[in-house]
Amino acid sequence: MNRNQVRPQRRHATPSRIERVRRQAVPKPRVIIALLLLLGLVSVMLLDGYLRAEVGNDQRVRSDASASKVPDSVLDGGPFLSFQGGAARTRSVPDKTIVLTFDDGPDPEWTQKVLDILDDNDVPGTFFLVGSMISRYPDVVRRMVDDGNEVGVHTFTHVDLSYQSAARVTREIAQTQLALAGAAGITTTLFRAPYSSTNDAIDNYTWPVYQKLGAMGYTSVFIDTDSEDWQQPGVSKIIKWATPKNGKGASVLFHDAGGNRAQTLEALPRYIKMMKSKGYTFTTVSGAQQNAQGQQAEGQQAQGQQAQAPQGTPAIAGDARQSNPEQAAHRTADTATLWEGRALLGAVAVAEWTVPGLAGVLAVVGVAVLGRFAIMLLLARRHYRQRNRRRFSWGPSVTGPVSVIVPAYNEKECIANTLNSLAASTHPIEIVVVDDGSTDGTAEIAESLGLPNVRVIRQPNAGKPAALNNGVRHARYDIVVMMDGDTVFEPDTVQRLVQPFGDPEVGAVAGNAKVGNRGTVIGAWQHIEYVMGFNLDRRMYDLLRCMPTIPGAIGAFRRDAVLEVGGMSEDTLAEDTDITIALHRAGWRVVYAEHARAWTEAPASLGQLWRQRYRWSYGTMQALWKHRKSVTDRGPSGRFGRVGMPLVVLFQIVTPVFAPLIDVFTVYAMIFVDFKASLLAWLAVLLVQLVCAAYAFRLDRERYRYLLMLPLQQIAYRQLMYLVLIHSCVTAATGGRLRWQKLKRTGEVGTPAPGTGVR
């Protein structure tokens, strides 16, 4: 291609109204994919939080409640409570018998060591398991059951059931049974409530829970002695408190999870040996109940026969390893329950891998984001000091006339303000208005103003790149300034913008775009974004000599440089990013003129904002992909590929894509972990952003009052921008195509006065 030629542009076909309606009525696959991914992530995080049993309502049993509704036979009875025919019935542990019970497991470390101790001493235990822990460590449960131990339900989230609804009680039990079925293929009829102790602790609040569970066929298990090992009082006290008096049998409470159980592990084997030396044997809850029932039957038989023999010693349970009657509470899970349980364990496994993995990734992203803020502050300060030195100069002052190209498509609301602002320019210019097939009289308005040095060129609608290329072909001067039809310049904007061309290596200059309609909430949010993000970024990229984008609202080019790279391409929807990278690859330097300001009309509604940013982000991805070979190029092209492109990908695509997850995890941590610590962490990050924004406002001499909108911007606006980027990524990944979308303009950005901004 001749360097003085510009590639012709293809005209875009306009879809019919029926086609547009049809596309709107049917959800696009990429939208469905994005929604499914979001739903899956939220579900995984909710499941993970639920598994960790850190969702509120986890309160201890009331200590001052009345027990007037609880039968005395229950309050004074044995530790095994069941219901037959609606009547409550308790059983005690036979004399010289110990039922070792363990709460809060399974734990991959402590429970395994407890099981080792039981194996070494050839005694069984009864483990009351938390469903969420079963789901996370099913292998421990399988070993527990295979070794001949007995298991019971200890709720799914270790919540005090006396505070819960009947539906919550049922759900806690059912979910634990599903987890148990998935882990070991069984269900159980044993239950122990969290925070329960001896029978006399039952009150009017907890009694209905036990009645409900009794009606469901459960045996509620209490204790006779409590080792209180959870307090870590010392090994000797644990043994002392766990020992029953006067040779009585006992249901003894230990813990195999929920904290450091080193003292429990040390005390348990000593306790077992001591009790065996005193003539005690060990069994499970079921074994103790069978022995108690057999003892009662023998007593009744002896009384009925009026036997003369003396009252005999109660039968002692056989060892669980031999006869294994101690697992009588276990039931083989039916097929449906078995597969539902396995599905639950599968979902939990996904959550157990996904959430920590994402947390690790987000930690890296968080460090990268904070690192970016630090780098931007340092480089922005260096850039400011460098450009404001007295001896700083681009070279000979540029005083010759330049061509200003204004592409316009249906800009009747804005075109007059745009041209009037250019007419006030202190630098000699010619104005080339390229009317891109407007149907609202834009060209006529431009001509009717009667401004000097204004030429209106009409062309059929072919898109913004084609209009700009047409303007370049008609430009009379070696330097061309490109701007949007909804933008206004300050009188000295052009003069400041073209001074870097005093350096012959400079091929293009990016100006400082400002939001003119900042009076609304949406406008104020975009104003903060423009000042903090766009302009701090450009200072950083300028110093690193890898400026990725010259804004379409204000940019200047050497005409020869534009022609050399083939003009504005319609290969992407971000023609400004595309040509900027192309100029880098051609060996031209691209710089930033922060004092050359343009005031543009930002989208005034969320819908328009979404469409604009969707096009920007998608077009940027297209441009990066188009110039991906610059990564392996040599010279200036390779410099951008190995410095600029990684920075753009990291800070404008990767970190923003993951950034919403940081906020999601913050909410997750507030709900499931530590509200205060999570809130403080979020406020700390906000403070860092506020410092960066304040410094950016200082450099641009903006009013700080807009920073009052920053917290709300972080909560609402930033999330919208993240969703836009994610949507663009899904579109790119699924091979979707995006058309240029015209934004509705109001023309409210008027002609600025010198140095004062927009009127």
Side-chain angles (χ1 to χ4, degrees):
M1 177 183 292
N2 188 291
R3 61 180 290 161
N4 292 319
Q5 293 180 338
V6 178
R7 289 180 295 181
Q9 307 295 321
R10 296 186 301 272
R11 184 170 180 176
H12 297 286
T14 302
S16 68
R17 181 176 181 274
I18 295 178
E19 290 174 339
R20 290 196 301 269
V21 172
R22 187 175 299 162
R23 277 200 292 265
Q24 293 172 358
V26 180
K28 297 180 180 180
R30 58 179 177 270
V31 176
I32 297 175
I33 292 173
L35 291 176
L36 289 176
L37 289 174
L38 178 61
L39 178 61
L41 176 63
V42 172
S43 299
V44 165
M45 294 185 67
L46 288 176
L47 175 60
D48 186 76
Y50 186 54
L51 289 172
R52 299 181 188 280
E54 293 165 348
V55 187
N57 291 329
D58 195 3
Q59 299 169 310
R60 292 188 176 276
V61 178
R62 302 167 179 86
S63 59
D64 57 350
S66 171
S68 59
K69 298 180 181 179
V70 186
D72 292 339
S73 60
V74 172
L75 295 174
D76 299 330
F80 308 141
L81 171 64
S82 59
F83 288 77
Q84 295 180 356
R89 181 175 182 178
T90 65
R91 284 195 175 94
S92 299
V93 179
D95 292 344
K96 290 287 185 175
T97 303
I98 296 294
V99 176
L100 291 175
T101 67
F102 301 88
D103 283 6
D104 298 348
D107 181 271
E109 178 183 1
W110 305 113
T111 302
Q112 294 278 29
K113 293 179 179 179
V114 168
L115 292 173
D116 290 340
I117 293 172
L118 297 182
D119 284 343
D120 292 342
N121 290 273
D122 201 26
V123 298
T126 301
F127 293 81
F128 290 94
L129 307 177
V130 177
S132 60
M133 301 292 285
I134 298 173
S135 303
R136 295 163 65 188
Y137 310 112
D139 293 342
V140 181
V141 180
R142 280 192 286 270
R143 177 194 171 183
M144 190 181 293
V145 174
D146 291 343
D147 285 354
N149 300 286
E150 195 165 51
V151 298
V153 172
H154 200 45
T155 73
F156 194 83
T157 61
H158 202 271
V159 67
D160 179 4
L161 296 181
S162 66
Y163 288 83
Q164 310 306 319
S165 65
R168 175 71 183 272
V169 172
T170 302
R171 186 168 68 250
E172 288 280 333
I173 304 301
Q175 290 172 340
T176 306
Q177 294 281 29
L178 281 180
L180 188 57
I186 62 168
T187 59
T188 182
T189 60
L190 300 182
F191 169 80
R192 174 176 283 165
Y195 313 114
S196 64
S197 57
T198 57
N199 295 48
D200 56 10
I202 303 174
D203 56 37
N204 292 342
Y205 292 98
T206 56
W207 179 239
V209 175
Y210 293 118
Q211 289 180 305
K212 176 180 177 62
L213 292 171
M216 296 168 63
Y218 285 94
T219 296
S220 295
V221 179
F222 298 89
I223 62 173
D224 294 300
T225 60
D226 187 352
S227 70
E228 298 194 37
D229 57 342
W230 60 274
Q231 298 189 49
Q232 301 183 41
V235 174
S236 60
K237 288 186 178 180
I238 291 175
I239 295 174
K240 177 182 177 181
W241 292 338
T243 303
K245 297 179 180 179
N246 303 321
K248 291 185 175 294
S251 169
V252 186
L253 174 60
F254 290 92
H255 292 82
D256 63 319
N260 188 319
R261 297 294 171 239
Q263 292 185 8
T264 302
L265 295 178
E266 186 177 351
L268 187 58
R270 291 170 55 181
Y271 175 78
I272 293 173
K273 289 180 174 61
M274 183 188 74
M275 299 310 293
K276 281 186 173 182
S277 69
K278 293 182 178 182
Y280 278 81
T281 57
F282 293 82
T283 186
T284 61
V285 170
S286 293
Q289 288 190 99
Q290 290 178 1
N291 290 340
Q293 185 176 7
Q295 190 178 45
Q296 182 180 9
E298 289 178 3
Q300 291 175 349
Q301 182 180 10
Q303 183 178 5
Q305 296 175 352
Q306 296 182 350
Q308 299 299 317
Q311 298 292 330
T313 303
I316 303 299
D319 188 272
R321 312 300 175 191
Q322 299 173 2
S323 58
N324 202 30
E326 287 80 357
Q327 292 183 323
H330 294 175
R331 303 286 186 270
T332 301
D334 59 61
T335 303
T337 303
L338 180 65
W339 284 104
E340 287 179 25
R342 290 176 178 174
L344 173 62
L345 296 189
V348 170
V350 171
E352 284 289 289
W353 282 97
T354 301
V355 175
L358 282 176
V361 171
L362 294 182
V364 175
V365 172
V367 171
V369 171
L370 294 177
R372 178 197 179 198
F373 286 142
I375 293 172
M376 282 197 307
L377 283 177
L378 292 174
L379 295 185
R381 177 173 175 78
R382 182 179 175 184
H383 183 276
Y384 174 79
R385 296 179 66 179
Q386 182 185 87
R387 295 296 170 82
N388 286 274
R389 291 174 183 169
R390 291 183 179 181
R391 296 182 180 180
F392 176 79
S393 174
W394 290 105
S397 178
V398 178
T399 58
V402 300
S403 300
V404 180
I405 303 173
V406 184
Y409 174 69
N410 289 345
E411 301 284 2
K412 68 176 182 179
E413 296 87 0
C414 309
I415 193 65
N417 288 337
T418 299
L419 297 181
N420 284 326
S421 73
L422 292 174
S425 175
T426 59
H427 194 91
I429 60 173
E430 72 155 345
I431 305 170
V432 181
V433 179
V434 182
D435 182 75
D436 188 33
S438 298
T439 58
D440 64 348
T442 296
E444 288 74 13
I445 295 174
E447 292 173 332
S448 68
L449 295 176
L451 297 174
N453 299 323
V454 174
R455 285 186 292 149
V456 178
I457 300 172
R458 291 176 170 84
Q459 68 175 38
N461 179 251
K464 184 179 179 181
L468 290 172
N469 287 331
N470 200 2
V472 170
R473 285 193 294 268
H474 286 83
R476 295 170 179 166
Y477 302 110
D478 294 334
I479 296 176
V480 293
V481 174
M482 299 182 185
M483 65 183 299
D484 289 336
D486 57 1
T487 301
V488 296
F489 280 5
E490 294 179 0
D492 62 351
T493 295
V494 175
Q495 180 182 4
R496 292 178 178 274
L497 184 63
V498 299
Q499 293 311 307
F501 290 109
D503 183 344
E505 294 183 357
V506 173
V509 182
N512 190 345
K514 297 284 190 180
V515 175
N517 53 329
R518 60 182 70 172
T520 64
V521 173
I522 297 178
W525 286 344
Q526 293 176 81
H527 170 51
I528 296 172
E529 179 187 31
Y530 271 57
V531 175
M532 177 183 174
F534 296 166
N535 293 328
L536 276 185
D537 273 348
R538 288 195 179 98
R539 287 183 170 91
M540 176 181 70
Y541 288 126
D542 192 3
L543 279 181
L544 298 176
R545 295 198 173 193
C546 56
M547 184 81 63
T549 303
I550 297 175
I554 175 171
F557 303 82
R558 291 190 189 274
R559 185 171 182 271
D560 288 344
V562 174
L563 296 174
E564 179 183 344
V565 298
M568 295 290 177
S569 172
E570 67 170 8
D571 292 342
T572 73
L573 291 175
E575 79 289 335
D576 45 9
T577 301
D578 192 346
I579 194 169
T580 304
I581 300 176
L583 289 172
H584 280 295
R585 300 188 69 185
W588 292 100
R589 184 180 174 191
V590 181
V591 300
Y592 176 49
E594 68 272 20
H595 298 300
R597 301 192 297 183
W599 299 82
T600 188
E601 182 177 339
S605 69
L606 292 178
Q608 293 184 51
L609 180 63
W610 181 285
R611 288 191 292 272
Q612 182 196 65
R613 300 309 171 84
Y614 185 28
R615 175 174 59 81
W616 283 6
S617 58
Y618 185 74
T620 299
M621 294 178 198
Q622 289 178 311
L624 293 175
W625 181 253
K626 176 181 176 180
H627 296 282
R628 62 190 181 278
K629 292 185 179 179
S630 64
V631 176
T632 58
D633 287 347
R634 296 181 179 180
S637 178
R639 176 180 177 81
F640 177 83
R642 288 184 289 274
V643 178
M645 187 170 291
L647 288 175
V648 174
V649 171
L650 178 63
F651 292 136
Q652 295 187 26
I653 298 177
V654 176
T655 53
V657 164
F658 285 98
L661 299 182
I662 296 178
D663 295 325
V664 172
F665 266 74
T666 299
V667 175
Y668 167 87
M670 288 181 178
I671 296 174
F672 296 111
V673 184
D674 188 324
F675 176 83
K676 184 177 180 180
S678 302
L679 179 61
L680 289 176
W682 185 83
L683 291 175
V685 174
L686 179 63
L687 179 61
V688 172
Q689 293 177 310
L690 181 61
V691 170
C692 291
Y695 187 65
F697 270 58
R698 178 186 174 186
L699 293 181
D700 272 17
R701 298 180 181 179
E702 292 286 352
R703 296 177 180 177
Y704 293 113
R705 62 185 178 88
Y706 288 101
L707 294 180
L708 295 175
M709 300 293 295
L710 185 61
L712 185 59
Q713 186 208 40
Q714 299 302 301
I715 295 173
Y717 178 81
R718 189 176 65 169
Q719 312 307 320
L720 178 65
M721 295 300 98
Y722 292 156
L723 291 175
V724 169
L725 181 59
I726 293 172
H727 190 188
S728 301
C729 290
V730 173
T731 301
T734 55
R737 297 291 298 175
L738 186 65
R739 295 181 297 106
W740 186 283
Q741 297 176 348
K742 170 69 176 175
L743 300 180
K744 183 179 180 181
R745 301 302 185 184
T746 63
E748 61 181 290
V749 179
T751 305
T756 63
V758 176
R759 293 175 182 171

